[in-house]
Amino acid sequence: TLTVTSANHWVTAWLGLELNMISILPVIAKQKHPRSTEAATKYFLTQATASALMLFASTINAWQTGSWNIMQLNNKLSCILMITALTMKMGAAPAHFWLPEVTQGATLATTLLITTWQKIAPITLLYMISNHTEPIITLSIGLLSILVGGWGGFNQTQLRKMMAYSSIAHLGWTMTVISIMPNIALTNIIIYMIMSTPFFMLLMTTTSKTLQTMTTTWTHTPTTTIILMLLLLSMAGLPPLTGFTPKLLILDSLVTHKLTLTAATMALLSLLSLTFYLRTTYLLTSTAPPTTTQSTTTWRLKPHQNQITALLAPTALFNITILPALLT
């Protein structure tokens, strides 16, 4: 990932992405199970196709313009092909089909890695070529991703698949604004990572994999339940929480660029995502599981202390007042 982010030659960036892909394959296939092997195979095939397309796009650009520099992607065809390849790499719609399948076959820790860290390299490349991208293409990809992310997460009972669709929806918000205000797009993806990391960390602590197992967290760890609820509402983008900040900034920049209809459509489509976040929140906090014990909470002998969660959870919940100051 660091090779890609520090590269200014297309071949170096491609090499970095290839190394990145080869390194994560054993991580996905770590469990000795057909599902994880299948997930690793799907991940490999998708990423290899995207890498080939990326190399093809950069070769066309070098052939036409004589430059391998990432910032000088002047050829229109190669720019469109590059956006397609990077969309496939990230898992934004319409090339999103691999993401929920791969996350379902992997562990929670690997899912966290795929939905956060693995997005850094393609997002960086998109940021670098944002001057040359066609706004109509990025807007279309973004709107489709928000729609797919909302609709796909609707009927999910598996938390990993639900979070994969949530990731697609967040990528949609990033894609809509990347060619208009790339800095805001970057802010959006960083905040998504800050919200997503403590959420997955807490799921790992409670070993919750489905909505059904989430209902029992209240009896074991009430504090975790409250933080999970707030993180879910933050991801949904409800006002006092951090997740609202990038959505507000994105809608604001779209309206400024006379794209009011697009902004309104995005706001309406985000209600789809809100539905499944609220459903999860309701199951988490408002439903009491059937229990035979007399006490309200069971014994907790080994407290799980996680410093990363402790650091990121407050940031993911209450920094709306600080962020505009950082951006100006």
Side-chain angles (χ1 to χ4, degrees), residues 195-215:
M195 291 187 295
S196 196
T197 308
F199 184 79
F200 274 109
M201 293 275 188
L202 291 171
L203 287 186
M204 281 183 251
T205 309
T206 57
T207 61
S208 303
K209 287 188 176 72
T210 59
L211 289 178
Q212 193 179 0
T213 49
M214 263 187 120
T215 55

Side-chain angles (χ1 to χ4, degrees), residues 298-319:
T298 52
W299 284 95
R300 298 187 290 280
L301 298 172
K302 283 194 287 184
H304 294 274
Q305 291 170 333
N306 195 317
Q307 282 79 19
I308 301 171
T309 312
L311 278 169
L312 289 178
T315 322
L317 297 176
F318 301 110
N319 75 344

Side-chain angles (χ1 to χ4, degrees), residues 203-276:
L203 287 186
M204 281 183 251
T205 309
T206 57
T207 61
S208 303
K209 287 188 176 72
T210 59
L211 289 178
Q212 193 179 0
T213 49
M214 263 187 120
T215 55
T216 58
T217 51
W218 178 254
T219 50
H220 288 283
T221 46
T223 319
T224 301
T225 313
I226 292 163
I227 297 169
L228 276 172
M229 176 196 78
L230 289 169
L231 285 168
L232 277 164
L233 294 175
S234 183
M235 275 191 246
L238 293 180
L241 307 167
T242 306
F244 174 66
T245 313
K247 283 186 166 60
L248 179 70
L249 290 167
I250 288 168
L251 293 176
D252 179 56
S253 66
L254 286 171
V255 172
T256 311
H257 286 83
K258 307 240 182 333
L259 292 164
T260 317
L261 189 64
T262 313
T265 313
M266 284 167 68
L268 286 169
L269 289 176
S270 68
L271 293 176
L272 290 168
S273 300
L274 178 67
T275 310
F276 68 80

Side-chain angles (χ1 to χ4, degrees), residues 14 17-18 20-22 24-25 28 39-55 85-92 95 98-99 102 114 118-119 121-122:
W14 172 80
L17 283 166
E18 287 295 293
N20 185 328
M21 177 190 72
I22 292 162
I24 203 169
L25 288 175
I28 299 170
T41 312
K42 282 177 178 173
Y43 187 84
F44 168 73
L45 290 172
T46 318
Q47 299 295 320
T49 310
S51 291
L53 194 59
M54 184 183 151
L55 203 59
L86 293 173
T87 302
M88 206 170 179
K89 280 260 174 217
M90 289 186 297
W98 62 272
L99 188 61
V102 170
I114 292 166
Q118 293 299 96
K119 303 266 187 282

Side-chain angles (χ1 to χ4, degrees), residues 4-237:
V4 179
T5 50
S6 57
N8 56 13
H9 191 288
W10 276 118
V11 177
T12 320
W14 172 80
L15 192 71
L17 283 166
E18 287 295 293
L19 285 168
N20 185 328
M21 177 190 72
I22 292 162
S23 311
I24 203 169
L25 288 175
V27 179
I28 299 170
K30 187 174 64 174
Q31 296 169 289
K32 304 290 185 289
H33 194 273
R35 282 305 295 268
S36 48
T37 314
E38 183 191 334
T41 312
K42 282 177 178 173
Y43 187 84
F44 168 73
L45 290 172
T46 318
Q47 299 295 320
T49 310
S51 291
L53 194 59
M54 184 183 151
L55 203 59
F56 178 54
S58 53
T59 311
I60 289 175
N61 186 62
W63 183 36
Q64 293 291 324
T65 62
S67 169
W68 282 97
N69 195 314
I70 293 177
M71 309 289 272
Q72 293 173 5
L73 195 71
N74 299 324
N75 187 281
K76 207 168 184 179
L77 173 65
S78 54
C79 192
I80 293 165
L81 286 171
M82 189 61 72
I83 293 168
T84 312
L86 293 173
T87 302
M88 206 170 179
K89 280 260 174 217
M90 289 186 297
H96 66 281
F97 294 101
W98 62 272
L99 188 61
E101 296 300 318
V102 170
T103 52
Q104 188 53 37
T107 59
L108 280 166
T110 315
T111 305
L112 169 63
L113 206 61
I114 292 166
T115 53
T116 55
W117 185 263
Q118 293 299 96
K119 303 266 187 282
I120 294 173
I123 286 279
T124 309
L125 289 174
L126 262 176
Y127 181 82
M128 288 166 85
I129 64 163
S130 58
N131 286 343
H132 303 290
T133 53
E134 286 284 328
I136 189 74
I137 296 170
T138 52
L139 282 169
S140 307
I141 291 170
L143 280 169
L144 192 61
S145 295
I146 297 167
L147 177 67
V148 166
W151 225 305
F154 239 62
N155 279 339
Q156 296 303 334
T157 52
Q158 295 285 339
L159 285 171
R160 283 166 294 179
K161 267 193 176 177
M162 195 185 85
M163 288 311 292
Y165 281 111
S166 161
S167 169
I168 293 165
H170 277 91
L171 275 175
W173 282 85
T174 307
M175 286 299 285
T176 44
V177 84
I178 194 113
S179 57
I180 302 165
M181 294 283 273
N183 290 348
I184 292 176
L186 221 54
T187 308
N188 181 53
I189 208 77
I190 290 165
I191 287 177
Y192 167 68
M193 287 173 190
I194 290 169
M195 291 187 295
S196 196
T197 308
F199 184 79
F200 274 109
M201 293 275 188
L202 291 171
L203 287 186
M204 281 183 251
T205 309
T206 57
T207 61
S208 303
K209 287 188 176 72
T210 59
L211 289 178
Q212 193 179 0
T213 49
M214 263 187 120
T215 55
T216 58
T217 51
W218 178 254
T219 50
H220 288 283
T221 46
T223 319
T224 301
T225 313
I226 292 163
I227 297 169
L228 276 172
M229 176 196 78
L230 289 169
L231 285 168
L232 277 164
L233 294 175
S234 183
M235 275 191 246

